[in-house]
Amino acid sequence: MIGVDWGTTSLRAYRLDGAGAVLDRRESAQGILSVPEGGFPAVLDAAVRPWLDAGEETVLLCGMVGSRQGWREAPYLPCPAGAAEIAAATVPLPFSGARRCFLVPGLSARGPEGVPDVMRGEETKLIGLLAELGERTAATLCLPGTHSKWARLEGGRIAGFATRMTGETRAVLLGHSILGRLSAPAREGRSDEAFRRGVRRSRDRGGLLHHLFGARALGLMGELAAEETDDYLSGLLIGHEVRAAVEDGGAGGGTVHLAGSATLCRLYALAFDEYGVAHRLHDPDIAARGLHRIGETLP
Amino acid sequence: MIGVDWGTTSLRAYRLDGAGAVLDRRESAQGILSVPEGGFPAVLDAAVRPWLDAGEETVLLCGMVGSRQGWREAPYLPCPAGAAEIAAATVPLPFSGARRCFLVPGLSARGPEGVPDVMRGEETKLIGLLAELGERTAATLCLPGTHSKWARLEGGRIAGFATRMTGETRAVLLGHSILGRLSAPAREGRSDEAFRRGVRRSRDRGGLLHHLFGARALGLMGELAAEETDDYLSGLLIGHEVRAAVEDGGAGGGTVHLAGSATLCRLYALAFDEYGVAHRLHDPDIAARGLHRIGETLP
């Protein structure tokens, strides 16, 4: 089968064998934002044509391609949900290049107070981790990013999840607040010590909004270099993310399973160490594994 | 005497009698950002010339005019500090229009963990509140704003303070994040119910970064109108500010004394009500009172 993780700014396509091994892969910057009106079938065809010519009959797509801004909207499926429920909720797509073409739905969940949460694309990665960890495992998963996802696996399904807007908050503060005006590009790469200092600060009282201003005051008082501001701010925000997850109990029940970009995962591992949270790093390529697992149970 | 509260984007000048009553006032948009290189004496002269002609001899300035970007830099004075310490740390300015012209210094403080904090301009308002409350009062003060200040008065002095970057965080999230793209201008003015809902959400577990994403998920699920997003976000952020202050004990010791813009104070009063924190609203014109109080003890 062919699996495609089609996000806002990138397209990652995999040719998978019957056991889920990646036979071939293609990656491009043709995210959904770059696709012209009505252009989705043509872009997909161009991306996977050689594999179709070689006889592949099934294409499974996940990510923002299933959002309102994508090819077609696949409604959010409520948690708890496993591979079978997700496969049953896939949306067929009109794509003449393959015999079968489906969209993976996003997931929704409700927190203990009834407030909703949503994901689109990450459900496939979580199913990939679930396949890797074994269906019987109860586990906490963390996918760091612009909108970090913390999910709980139970009984072979995604029981629920919580999103934290860590990456986007960092980006807008650096780009548009007084903290960005204080910041200078690091001369010698990033500073783990400034990052750790930010994480340690997140453990104090005072709240995130106070700790943010502290980055400015440290700069004014000559106690934080301009080149360290970015890393300190990352440490503060990721630290507050981990702190809240620990306080929620989401990270308290044993090892946190971590998957995502190597750069981000490395920072999260540093933050977990500061908080004394056990963690295990997984292959960043779990989307392919998730696409295969969902594909196995397609109707 | 003449007192001037000269900030980044505005200039407020007061003519004060010997008892501190405001005899006359002028306000303009000539904040320090609009003053050309070397132009501070001329702008000040133009703003207060009639009062100088009428015989006033002393001018006292506070606010960002005393920052590195202002007329001259007045170093931060460490807390604890009262009117006398602040008056003794004023910086004389070369202004030929008056017999005496001084800059009020900003204040610095250190939190329990040693992290610094700073203010410039708000120290004068706090001294004004101190004069209003009486020098023997121990009290918690809150000055809401772009960078909200929470201060503790003890023994006639400002014992310490904490800044929370609430207003600026709201502005950058609304202006530059996915939350702003979800938001639409309110058709019928602001919604107190959406604001209160945000405040109530701040009391839940999960952390601010999770609650922020919740505003998006509520919108996607049709449970928060686009016109309510702004007020809900304000409630979340001000709620988290009040929550942290309560947890710090800063707002736990009785009535919080609140002063600032009428619009903001009204919102903070709603948030205090949700948190069960007693509060008392003060005259927004406390800067004039503080300038007078500091002026009384000038050397």
Side-chain angles (χ1 to χ4, degrees):
Chain A
M1 65 170 282
I2 296 168
V4 182
D5 179 8
W6 202 343
T8 307
T9 58
S10 69
L11 182 158
R12 289 187 182 85
Y14 306 91
R15 186 180 183 193
L16 304 163
D17 73 10
V22 176
L23 299 173
D24 197 3
R25 67 177 68 216
R26 297 194 56 179
E27 188 169 341
S28 84
Q30 286 180 294
I32 66 160
L33 294 182
S34 75
V35 176
E37 178 93 20
F40 284 97
V43 173
L44 177 61
D45 196 280
V48 301
R49 173 49 48 200
W51 305 338
L52 295 170
D53 288 344
E56 295 295 351
E57 297 189 328
T58 301
V59 182
L60 185 60
L61 304 137
C62 72
M64 293 303 281
V65 65
S67 69
R68 211 165 297 171
Q69 294 76 40
W71 189 340
R72 179 162 290 194
E73 188 173 4
Y76 293 106
L77 176 70
C79 283
E85 288 89 347
I86 291 175
T90 52
V91 172
L93 277 176
F95 177 61
S96 59
R99 193 170 64 81
R100 308 195 303 169
C101 183
F102 295 98
L103 265 179
V104 172
L107 293 186
S108 64
R110 298 228 170 233
E113 300 87 4
V115 177
D117 206 329
V118 292
M119 62 168 61
R120 194 178 287 286
E122 294 93 345
E123 72 294 323
T124 303
K125 295 178 182 172
L126 295 174
I127 293 296
L129 277 173
L130 177 65
E132 190 166 316
L133 293 168
E135 304 264 331
R136 292 198 191 156
T137 312
T140 300
L141 315 183
C142 171
L143 306 177
T146 305
H147 299 157
S148 297
K149 304 292 178 184
W150 286 75
R152 185 80 194 147
L153 296 187
E154 278 168 24
R157 302 196 295 177
I158 301 162
F161 63 89
T163 305
R164 298 196 160 86
M165 225 172 95
T166 311
E168 185 167 6
T169 302
R170 172 179 168 276
V172 299
L173 287 171
L174 266 185
H176 305 283
S177 84
I178 203 164
L179 299 181
R181 292 193 286 285
L182 274 178
S183 174
R187 275 168 301 197
E188 300 178 3
R190 41 182 326 292
S191 160
D192 281 353
E193 186 39 39
F195 178 84
R196 280 205 192 88
R197 203 173 152 199
V199 174
R200 285 193 294 269
R201 178 60 172 152
S202 75
R203 307 191 69 168
D204 294 339
R205 297 206 301 183
L208 175 56
L209 296 168
H210 176 49
H211 295 168
L212 289 176
F213 189 80
R216 166 164 165 80
L218 283 166
L220 280 172
M221 302 306 258
E223 297 171 29
L224 182 72
E227 310 87 62
E228 292 173 323
T229 305
D230 183 352
D231 292 318
Y232 182 84
L233 178 63
S234 290
L236 262 188
L237 289 165
I238 293 174
H240 272 277
E241 174 180 341
V242 172
R243 175 184 174 149
V246 169
E247 288 176 355
D248 277 2
T255 300
V256 174
H257 297 271
L258 185 62
S261 86
T263 310
L264 269 185
C265 284
R266 192 175 155 278
L267 293 179
Y268 275 69
L270 290 176
F272 287 144
D273 285 342
E274 289 291 336
Y275 271 89
V277 171
H279 50 92
R280 191 180 132 199
L281 187 60
H282 292 265
D283 189 338
D285 234 8
I286 45 167
R289 183 143 193 181
L291 285 161
H292 174 259
R293 182 74 192 84
I294 296 167
E296 280 185 321
T297 47
L298 276 177
Chain B
M1 65 170 281
I2 295 168
V4 183
D5 179 8
W6 203 343
T8 307
T9 57
S10 70
L11 182 158
R12 290 187 181 86
Y14 307 91
R15 186 180 182 192
L16 304 163
D17 74 9
V22 176
L23 299 174
D24 197 3
R25 68 176 69 215
R26 298 195 54 181
E27 188 169 341
S28 84
Q30 287 180 294
I32 66 160
L33 294 182
S34 74
V35 176
E37 177 92 23
F40 284 98
V43 173
L44 176 62
D45 196 278
V48 302
R49 173 50 47 201
W51 305 338
L52 295 169
D53 289 343
E56 295 294 351
E57 297 189 329
T58 301
V59 183
L60 185 60
L61 304 139
C62 72
M64 292 304 282
V65 65
S67 70
R68 211 164 298 171
Q69 295 74 41
W71 189 338
R72 180 162 289 196
E73 188 171 3
Y76 293 106
L77 176 69
C79 284
E85 289 90 347
I86 291 175
T90 52
V91 172
L93 278 177
F95 177 61
S96 59
R99 192 170 66 81
R100 308 196 302 169
C101 184
F102 294 98
L103 265 180
V104 172
L107 293 186
S108 64
R110 297 225 171 236
E113 300 88 4
V115 176
D117 207 329
V118 292
M119 61 168 62
R120 194 177 287 286
E122 294 94 345
E123 71 294 324
T124 303
K125 295 178 182 173
L126 295 174
I127 293 295
L129 277 174
L130 177 66
E132 191 166 316
L133 293 169
E135 304 264 333
R136 292 198 192 155
T137 312
T140 299
L141 315 184
C142 171
L143 306 177
T146 304
H147 300 157
S148 296
K149 305 292 179 183
W150 286 77
R152 185 82 196 146
L153 296 186
E154 278 169 23
R157 302 197 295 179
I158 301 161
F161 63 90
T163 305
R164 297 195 162 86
M165 225 171 96
T166 311
E168 185 168 4
T169 302
R170 173 179 167 277
V172 298
L173 287 172
L174 266 184
H176 304 284
S177 85
I178 202 164
L179 299 180
R181 291 194 288 284
L182 274 178
S183 174
R187 276 167 302 196
E188 301 178 3
R190 41 181 326 293
S191 159
D192 281 353
E193 187 39 40
F195 178 84
R196 281 204 192 89
R197 203 174 151 199
V199 174
R200 285 193 294 271
R201 179 60 173 154
S202 74
R203 307 191 69 170
D204 293 339
R205 297 205 300 184
L208 175 56
L209 296 168
H210 175 51
H211 295 168
L212 288 175
F213 189 80
R216 166 165 166 79
L218 283 165
L220 279 173
M221 302 306 259
E223 297 171 30
L224 183 72
E227 310 86 61
E228 293 174 323
T229 305
D230 184 353
D231 292 318
Y232 182 84
L233 179 63
S234 290
L236 262 188
L237 289 165
I238 293 173
H240 272 278
E241 174 180 342
V242 172
R243 174 184 175 150
V246 169
E247 287 176 356
D248 277 1
T255 301
V256 174
H257 298 271
L258 185 63
S261 86
T263 310
L264 269 186
C265 284
R266 191 175 157 278
L267 293 179
Y268 275 68
L270 290 176
F272 287 145
D273 286 341
E274 289 291 335
Y275 271 89
V277 172
H279 50 93
R280 191 179 132 200
L281 187 60
H282 292 266
D283 189 337
D285 235 9
I286 45 169
R289 183 144 193 180
L291 285 161
H292 174 258
R293 182 75 193 84
I294 297 166
E296 281 184 321
T297 47
L298 277 177

